[in-house]
């Protein structure tokens, strides 16, 4: 799942995206504009809708926190 | 009717709106801002000498205080609220004597150790990055600011805007002087969003209306956010872009998504308060070429080297504490933009990129912008950046970084060269092509050249 998240972030413009799951995404350029693009890519990739109230600095802090968020939205669960 | 002393007793339309502080947005009611100005003036009492440091929080309190300072004729320097301590110190040192007040108007600190050195007419100080990267403190007078407000009201048809949505930072000349003040002067209700991502709330609720303003990167993101949801954004009447070049391709895509809106392309410099050129989609040339026509009372001319120079009421007083820098930038009353341009007979200006980016290849003088523009015209190319490296034989080596679809990438270097051959002379064809998913751009949409150069190693070479 981390690879898919990393890939989505790259498509959103994060070049390079971090290898470490706990690296701070803000250090890799994640600003409000890139967050908007990242949400679109993650929604497309995982087939979930990320509600606005979930768009918090904590949820978008790292690859790990994004994985947790997506998991809570049902991503990665078998059909 | 309410008269504001700000823009020479212009009447403001009073709107009986309640000031709401939503979770994500602040609706600005100009009547309450006027009341806020009066409150702020009372709080301010006796001010120390020097320049007030104002942090541009995204709220009515900051705006009321900013306007209060403007009306009192006391200079204020505007700082981004997320400025790091180091960035803050570097900028603060440029000001000379300075002080800061808390939200209640109480002094939190003052530093009067240096003699006053700002221009006596300074009303606002905004920071801009100089060509070396070190920030410069731009001094603007009330006359500068009022001239810009009038010019923008006219060129962006503010009188026809029913409302506006703002997600631009208020520490930025575009947001504060280019959008907020004209709205204040014309009474256009304004919704402030603290984060760009919160536009989703407005779009989802079908509340996207009126004038929206952003840099081209914002508009690219908005095109993606509104894909397949055309109905949700047809209330937008003014699509305003500034802060970075907007390609003709982007203008066409915006016209498709917002067929009922008027599109506006703009160019400016903080040193020009800031709006210099403007252009709307009502002009048929808008979808062909060009950046805009001079606004306000600007006169424009080109130097023999092709640099755009402007003269008029909006030209800054100078850089605070940098007389040599000011003398370099303003010569014989003309502000040197640092950008190469051409002027059409009808006054339409086309910008060709930074003057210091012009280079010679095989004896021909070229700009990266010309090469980038040719590449952007190739079907399948979404975004382009050009990097120039030294070459012992030709003087320069042209590297092209493209964001493109799979089919164009599959056509390889040969395909790209063939597509460009009709548009560029052989010397100007890029030597190498690299593919990226997106170009590195700063928050204001400007290309980050150093990061692009660093990406060369990891980008996919198109062979």
């Amino acid at each position: 799942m981390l690879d898919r998240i990393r890939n989505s972030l790259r498509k959103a413009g994060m070049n390079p995206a971090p290898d470490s799951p706990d690296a701070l995404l803000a250090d890799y350029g994640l600003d409000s504009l890139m967050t908007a693009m990242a949400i679109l890519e993650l929604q497309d990739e995982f087939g979930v809708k990320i509600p606005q109230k979930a768009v918090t600095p904590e949820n978008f802090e790292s690859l790990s926190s994004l994985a947790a968020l997506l998991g809570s939205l049902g991503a990665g669960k078998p059909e | 009717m309410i008269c504001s002393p700000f823009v020479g007793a212009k009447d403001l339309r009073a709107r009986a709106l309640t000031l709401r502080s939503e979770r994500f947005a602040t609706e600005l009611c100009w009547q309450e801002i006027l009341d806020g100005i009066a409150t702020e003036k009372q709080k301010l009492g006796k001010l120390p000498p020097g320049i007030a440091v104002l942090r541009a929080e995204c709220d009515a309190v900051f705006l009321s205080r900013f306007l209060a300072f403007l009306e009192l004729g006391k200079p204020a320097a505007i700082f981004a609220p997320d400025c790091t301590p180091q960035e803050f110190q570097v900028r603060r040192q440029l000001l000379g004597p300075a002080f800061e007040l808390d939200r209640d108007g109480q002094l939190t600190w003052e530093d009067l150790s240096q003699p006053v050195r700002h221009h006596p007419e300074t009303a606002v100080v905004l920071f801009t990055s100089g060509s070396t990267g070190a920030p410069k403190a731009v001094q603007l007078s009330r006359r500068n600011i009022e001239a810009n407000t009038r010019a923008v009201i006219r060129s962006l048809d503010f009188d026809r805007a029913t409302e506006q949505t703002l997600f631009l930072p208020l520490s930025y000349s575009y947001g504060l002087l280019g959008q907020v003040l004209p709205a204040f002067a014309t009474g256009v209700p304004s919704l402030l969003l603290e984060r760009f991502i919160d536009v989703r709330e407005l779009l989802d609720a079908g509340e996207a209306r009126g004038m929206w303003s952003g840099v081209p990167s914002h508009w690219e993101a908005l095109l993606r956010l509104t894909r397949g949801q055309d109905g949700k954004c047809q209330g937008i009447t003014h699509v305003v872009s500034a802060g970075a070049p907007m390609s003709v391709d982007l203008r066409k895509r915006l016209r498709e998504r917002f067929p009922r809106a008027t599109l506006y392309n703009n160019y400016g410099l903080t040193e020009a308060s800031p709006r210099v050129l403007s252009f709307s989609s009502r002009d048929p040339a808008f979808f062909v070429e060009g950046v805009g026509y001079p606004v306000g009372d600007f006169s424009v001319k080109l130097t023999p080297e092709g640099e755009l120079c402007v003269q008029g009421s909006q030209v800054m007083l100078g850089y605070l504490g940098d007389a040599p820098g000011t003398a370099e930038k303003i010569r014989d009353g003309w502000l040197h933009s640092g950008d190469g341009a051409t002027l059409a007979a009808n006054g339409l200006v086309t910008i060709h990129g930074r003057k210091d980016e012009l280079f010679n290849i095989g004896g021909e003088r070229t700009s990266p912008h010309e090469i980038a523009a040719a590449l952007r015209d190739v079907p399948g190319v979404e975004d382009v950046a050009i990097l120039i490296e030294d070459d012992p034989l030709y003087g320069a080596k042209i590297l092209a970084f493209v964001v493109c679809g799979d089919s164009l990438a599959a056509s390889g270097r040969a395909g790209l060269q063939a597509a460009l051959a009709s548009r560029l002379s052989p010397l100007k064809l890029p030597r190498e092509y690299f593919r990226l998913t997106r170009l590195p751009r700063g928050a204001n949409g400007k290309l980050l050249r150093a990061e692009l150069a660093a990406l060369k190693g990891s980008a996919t070479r198109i062979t």
Side-chain angles (χ1 to χ4, degrees), chain B residues 23 73 83-84 139 225 258 260 268 278 338 444 448:
Chain B
R23 182 174 48 80
C83 194
T84 65
Q139 299 173 105
L225 285 165
F258 304 99
R260 288 189 225 139
S278 193
N444 58 0
L448 301 171

Side-chain angles (χ1 to χ4, degrees), chain B residues 161-304:
Chain B
T162 52
E163 58 186 280
Q164 75 164 333
T165 294
L166 269 178
F167 40 77
L168 289 163
L170 297 184
S171 51
Y172 187 17
S173 59
Y174 178 10
L176 186 62
L177 305 182
Q179 296 295 142
V180 170
L181 290 191
F184 176 58
T186 49
V188 170
S190 303
L191 194 67
L192 293 185
L193 301 186
E194 222 171 306
R195 306 181 305 171
F196 171 72
I197 185 57
D198 292 319
V199 296
R200 283 204 317 165
E201 292 262 22
L202 292 176
L203 290 167
D204 288 344
E207 297 273 324
R209 287 191 298 262
M211 179 184 288
W212 281 43
S213 51
V215 298
S217 300
H218 287 130
W219 286 110
E220 289 285 3
L222 285 166
L223 282 173
R224 279 209 60 184
L225 285 165
T226 55
R227 202 161 53 189
Q229 299 184 63
D230 285 15
K232 296 213 161 148
C233 55
Q234 296 312 311
I236 294 176
T237 55
H238 296 57
V239 168
V240 177
S241 178
M246 182 161 69
S247 66
V248 167
D249 177 71
L250 176 56
R251 298 178 205 183
K252 287 177 178 168
R253 286 184 285 124
L254 286 169
R255 177 178 56 182
E256 239 178 84
R257 182 62 49 79
F258 304 99
R260 288 189 225 139
T262 307
L263 314 183
Y264 300 84
N265 186 47
N266 299 281
Y267 164 90
L269 307 159
T270 306
E271 293 90 337
S273 312
R275 191 61 42 79
V276 176
L277 305 173
S278 193
F279 200 5
S280 93
S281 54
R282 284 195 302 276
D283 187 317
F286 188 84
F287 297 103
V288 179
E289 61 180 353
V291 169
Y293 298 88
V295 302
D297 65 0
F298 270 121
S299 306
V300 302
K301 71 171 187 181
L302 299 181
T303 64

Side-chain angles (χ1 to χ4, degrees), chain A residues 10-13 15-16 31-37 39-41 43-44 49-52 55-56, chain B residues 23 195-201 204 217-218 220-221 224-225 227 436-438 441-443 451 455:
Chain A
R10 280 197 200 102
K11 285 189 194 170
N15 275 309
D31 60 10
S32 189
L33 187 53
M34 197 185 285
T35 302
M37 302 303 274
I39 288 170
L40 291 168
E41 295 293 347
Q43 290 184 154
D44 277 352
K49 174 132 170 68
I50 300 178
Q52 199 64 5
V55 182
T56 62
Chain B
R23 182 174 48 80
R195 306 181 305 171
F196 171 72
I197 185 57
D198 292 319
V199 296
R200 283 204 317 165
E201 292 262 22
D204 288 344
S217 300
H218 287 130
E220 289 285 3
R224 279 209 60 184
L225 285 165
R227 202 161 53 189
L436 289 172
T437 49
R438 194 172 156 199
R441 291 188 187 277
E451 294 198 20
L455 283 175

Side-chain angles (χ1 to χ4, degrees), chain B residues 302-308 337-342 350-372 386-390 394-398 428 449:
Chain B
L302 299 181
T303 64
E305 295 79 33
E307 183 185 7
L308 178 71
S337 67
D339 288 320
T342 44
T350 301
I351 300 288
H352 295 305
R354 301 297 301 156
K355 176 197 70 140
D356 49 28
E357 285 173 359
L358 291 174
F359 64 98
N360 281 319
I361 184 160
E364 255 191 79
R365 198 176 175 88
T366 316
S367 97
H369 181 89
E370 184 189 351
I371 301 164
I386 301 292
L387 266 193
I388 309 298
E389 287 181 347
D390 284 335
Y394 292 101
K397 178 166 123 174
I398 304 170
K428 296 178 186 176
R449 295 203 162 268

